[in-house]
Amino acid sequence: MTIPVYTPANQNDVVKEVQWVTEGNVITTPAAYGVTPVSAAFQGERSATIIWNHDPVHEETRKSGTTERDSQSLTKQVHTGTLTTKIVNDVTLKWAMNKEAAAGTLAESRTYAKSYYVNQVETFEIAKGCLPTRGTLRLNNAAQLILEVQIRAKDVIETQAANGGLTTPVWEVTPLTGAPIKASDGGAGQFDYNAVDYAESGMVMEVIHELSLTEPSESLTPIHARAGMRSVSGNFTIQGRPDLVMRADQKVGTPRTITRVISTSPSITATISGAVISGYPSSPHDPSSGLVLVENLNYTSDDLIIA
């Protein structure tokens, strides 16, 4: 059999970059979950990728007298994905990190979409009922900020139907522009621990959202989802160690407030309240190195607010 000739796809075949639209508030309007609005205007991300994992759950049947499986049937479908993007504003950052509240948080589910050519035919990947399960913001003093969002979707389809089968969507034609935010964009005195400035040279903020799913037996996918429990943790790196405050706080578990200005323009600040240092390694005074003392500290906290 001869292999058919076709055009192999690569990144040049992307037609519509990763973009999204709000479906609605799943608390006040539960029926909005997993439903893309008609004539919806999609919004883009910056230099984003999104990769979906489809994990069907099968139940198999076996019978005596043979070593082979007799049959199997599909019992559930689980769709998860990872969005990785650089940030130029706080829109997706708030959705991924802040607690379930008003507009712009994970109280609102999203539809994510992208399209690409498969053998020169535009093919859409449409994910409905998207809510974040983990948001991780990485700040590196020598790089741009990276936001990684783990997502649970109600359903993900791949189709070559016009507009992905959506009704008169308004696609974002021009990709989101602007210089991605970098670590130094927080300006002078951007890291405060207990209202005192420290020389921070790297930080990770992570929020885990445990979703409450409604999964009746009659459906292969959830019919509703919302935030259940939220956990906040992360780490930061301090250069020079100017005092003994953090070590003393870690020893007795004193909760403190950490403030990190992410950007002055646009104005984005992370406030971490009730932060308790959970790990404090011994000071690495290396006699063979003249580098400045660097200490990496882990923390857990009561809350994190991006504003």
Side-chain angles (χ1 to χ4, degrees), residues 57 121 163 173 227 286:
V57 179
V121 179
N163 286 318
V173 178
D286 185 352

Side-chain angles (χ1 to χ4, degrees), residues 21 29 38 40-41 43-44 46 52 58 74 94-96 98-99 131 144 187 192 227 257 261 282 286 295-296 299:
V21 67
T29 313
V38 173
Q43 303 181 57
R46 184 72 166 96
W52 293 105
H58 293 95
L74 179 66
K94 287 181 174 179
W95 182 70
N98 281 353
K99 63 185 176 183
L131 287 172
Q144 296 167 338
D192 286 356
T257 296
V261 179
S282 299
D286 185 352
E295 296 182 309
N296 300 304
Y299 68 88

Side-chain angles (χ1 to χ4, degrees), residues 272-293:
I272 305 166
S273 58
V276 176
I277 297 176
S278 55
Y280 202 134
S282 299
S283 303
H285 293 97
D286 185 352
S288 63
S289 173
L291 298 177
V292 66
L293 175 65

Side-chain angles (χ1 to χ4, degrees), residues 174-235:
T174 304
L176 194 63
T177 58
I181 296 172
K182 58 185 182 298
S184 60
D185 287 340
Q190 57 190 6
F191 179 91
D192 286 356
Y193 178 88
N194 195 33
V196 177
D197 288 347
Y198 286 87
E200 168 261 308
S201 60
M203 189 169 185
V204 174
M205 306 174 200
E206 184 169 88
V207 176
I208 296 175
H209 305 282
E210 294 186 23
L211 300 182
S212 298
L213 302 174
T214 304
E215 299 180 282
S217 298
E218 65 197 48
S219 176
L220 295 177
T221 58
I223 62 171
H224 190 265
R226 63 168 297 186
M229 190 169 70
R230 180 169 173 259
S231 302
V232 181
S233 62
N235 62 72

Side-chain angles (χ1 to χ4, degrees), residues 79-102:
H79 302 282
T80 58
T82 302
L83 168 71
T84 304
T85 181
K86 296 180 179 179
I87 60 174
V88 296
N89 56 45
D90 62 2
V91 178
T92 296
L93 184 60
K94 287 181 174 179
W95 182 70
M97 307 290 277
N98 281 353
K99 63 185 176 183
E100 178 187 270

Side-chain angles (χ1 to χ4, degrees), residues 59-292:
E59 184 75 14
E60 66 177 28
T61 302
R62 292 181 177 271
K63 62 182 181 180
S64 301
T66 179
T67 58
E68 283 69 44
R69 182 178 64 199
D70 181 60
S71 65
Q72 70 170 2
S73 58
L74 179 66
T75 57
K76 285 293 177 185
Q77 290 181 341
V78 179
H79 302 282
T80 58
T82 302
L83 168 71
T84 304
T85 181
K86 296 180 179 179
I87 60 174
V88 296
N89 56 45
D90 62 2
V91 178
T92 296
L93 184 60
K94 287 181 174 179
W95 182 70
M97 307 290 277
N98 281 353
K99 63 185 176 183
E100 178 187 270
T105 69
L106 76 161
E108 296 179 331
S109 60
R110 290 180 172 185
T111 292
Y112 268 92
K114 64 180 180 181
S115 75
Y116 39 83
Y117 286 125
V118 174
N119 201 18
Q120 297 305 294
V121 179
E122 186 175 12
T123 303
F124 290 84
E125 196 171 60
I126 309 291
K128 299 183 179 183
C130 295
L131 287 172
T133 59
R134 182 191 300 262
T136 305
L137 180 64
R138 304 183 190 278
L139 300 92
N140 184 310
N141 70 342
Q144 296 167 338
L145 275 60
I146 298 294
L147 175 64
E148 183 178 281
V149 188
Q150 304 291 326
I151 297 173
R152 175 70 186 263
K154 176 181 180 179
D155 196 14
V156 181
I157 62 170
E158 190 176 43
T159 177
Q160 293 181 334
N163 286 318
L166 303 180
T167 304
T168 58
V170 181
W171 300 110
E172 182 182 66
V173 178
T174 304
L176 194 63
T177 58
I181 296 172
K182 58 185 182 298
S184 60
D185 287 340
Q190 57 190 6
F191 179 91
D192 286 356
Y193 178 88
N194 195 33
V196 177
D197 288 347
Y198 286 87
E200 168 261 308
S201 60
M203 189 169 185
V204 174
M205 306 174 200
E206 184 169 88
V207 176
I208 296 175
H209 305 282
E210 294 186 23
L211 300 182
S212 298
L213 302 174
T214 304
E215 299 180 282
S217 298
E218 65 197 48
S219 176
L220 295 177
T221 58
I223 62 171
H224 190 265
R226 63 168 297 186
M229 190 169 70
R230 180 169 173 259
S231 302
V232 181
S233 62
N235 62 72
F236 56 91
T237 301
I238 298 297
Q239 292 188 332
R241 196 183 185 198
D243 55 44
L244 306 180
V245 173
M246 294 182 186
R247 178 67 64 85
D249 285 349
Q250 183 268 339
K251 192 171 183 179
V252 297
T254 303
R256 300 293 192 187
T257 296
I258 299 172
T259 303
R260 175 59 155 87
V261 179
I262 297 171
S263 171
T264 57
S265 181
S267 178
I268 307 174
T269 299
T271 302
I272 305 166
S273 58
V276 176
I277 297 176
S278 55
Y280 202 134
S282 299
S283 303
H285 293 97
D286 185 352
S288 63
S289 173
L291 298 177
V292 66

